[in-house]
């Protein structure tokens, strides 16, 4: 009957005993075992960290070998060189250094002309002629207006 009762409760008999007022058995070496377990966990964690630090050092040496072979610089090195160049350029200047303008952010007129030229390359011949005639008419009209003024 005891077996059937344990199966029905699914291992909850310990909790039932606590609820009924039975005192819990304490292991006298429980604290010592817990400390040993914690120490083992700390030691495993330290070993794991040492292992990954060693692996990362090996990877970094391989990366540095590749950088040396192909002349690649680290991002930090590039930024440091750019900062040094800016400081060196502004040593004798009384004004603050100019900010570098990225490519494609220059004069807008040049960009528009290049776009028009690109479009003109893909247009068929008759359309190009019409476009050139219309622009010449517009230019002639602008010149006439300026002359009249």
């Amino acid at each position: 009957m005891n077996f059937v009762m344990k199966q029905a409760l699914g291992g909850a008999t310990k909790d039932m005993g606590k609820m009924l007022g039975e005192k819990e058995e304490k292991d006298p070496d429980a604290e010592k075992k817990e400390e040993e377990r914690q120490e083992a966990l700390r030691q495993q964690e330290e070993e794991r960290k040492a292992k990954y630090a060693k692996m990362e050092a090996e990877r970094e040496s391989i990366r540095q070998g590749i950088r040396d072979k192909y002349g690649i610089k680290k991002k930090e090195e590039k930024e440091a060189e750019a900062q040094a160049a800016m400081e060196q350029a502004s040593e004798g200047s009384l004004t603050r250094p100019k900010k570098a303008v990225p490519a494609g952010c220059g004069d807008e007129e040049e960009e528009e002309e290049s776009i028009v030229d690109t479009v003109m390359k893909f247009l068929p011949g008759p359309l190009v002629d019409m476009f050139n005639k219309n622009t010449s008419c517009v230019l002639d009209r602008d010149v006439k207006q300026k002359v009249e003024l």
Side-chain angles (χ1 to χ4, degrees):
M1 186 68 173
N2 199 9
F3 175 75
V4 174
M5 189 64 141
K6 285 183 182 179
Q7 290 294 324
L9 293 175
T13 55
K14 293 179 184 176
D15 295 333
M16 293 293 289
K18 290 178 188 176
M19 291 171 60
L20 295 174
E22 291 182 17
K23 292 187 179 178
E24 187 178 323
E25 296 179 22
K26 293 186 180 179
D27 188 13
D29 296 331
E31 289 181 20
K32 185 177 178 183
K33 289 179 183 177
E34 181 62 24
E35 288 176 10
E36 289 176 1
R37 189 179 72 80
Q38 290 294 329
E39 181 62 33
L41 287 173
R42 272 186 251 129
Q43 188 177 11
Q44 286 176 349
E45 185 67 20
E46 289 172 5
E47 290 173 0
R48 186 186 67 79
K49 286 182 181 179
K51 174 185 167 185
Y52 283 106
K54 181 181 173 185
M55 288 170 56
E56 186 59 32
E58 290 174 359
R59 287 185 191 124
E60 186 58 34
S61 67
I62 292 170
R63 288 182 195 125
Q64 189 60 44
I66 293 170
R67 283 189 209 106
D68 293 341
K69 182 178 179 180
Y70 295 106
I72 301 170
K73 295 181 181 178
K74 284 185 173 180
K75 186 177 181 181
E76 295 86 24
E77 292 175 356
K78 289 180 185 177
E79 291 173 356
E81 287 180 2
Q83 184 67 22
M86 291 291 286
E87 289 175 2
Q88 186 178 16
S90 65
E91 281 181 6
S93 177
L94 297 176
T95 60
R96 71 170 197 212
K98 294 181 179 179
K99 294 182 180 178
V101 178
C105 295
D107 297 329
E108 292 176 7
E109 293 174 10
E110 293 176 11
E111 285 184 24
E112 289 178 13
E113 291 175 358
S114 65
I115 292 170
V116 170
D117 293 337
T118 306
V119 170
M120 292 293 283
K121 290 177 186 176
F122 295 105
L123 290 176
L127 289 176
V128 172
D129 294 338
M130 286 177 41
F131 183 74
N132 286 336
K133 287 180 183 177
N134 287 339
T135 55
S136 65
C137 292
V138 170
L139 292 175
D140 291 340
R141 187 174 22 141
D142 290 341
V143 170
K144 288 179 184 176
Q145 287 177 354
K146 288 181 182 178
V147 171
E148 290 175 3
L149 293 175

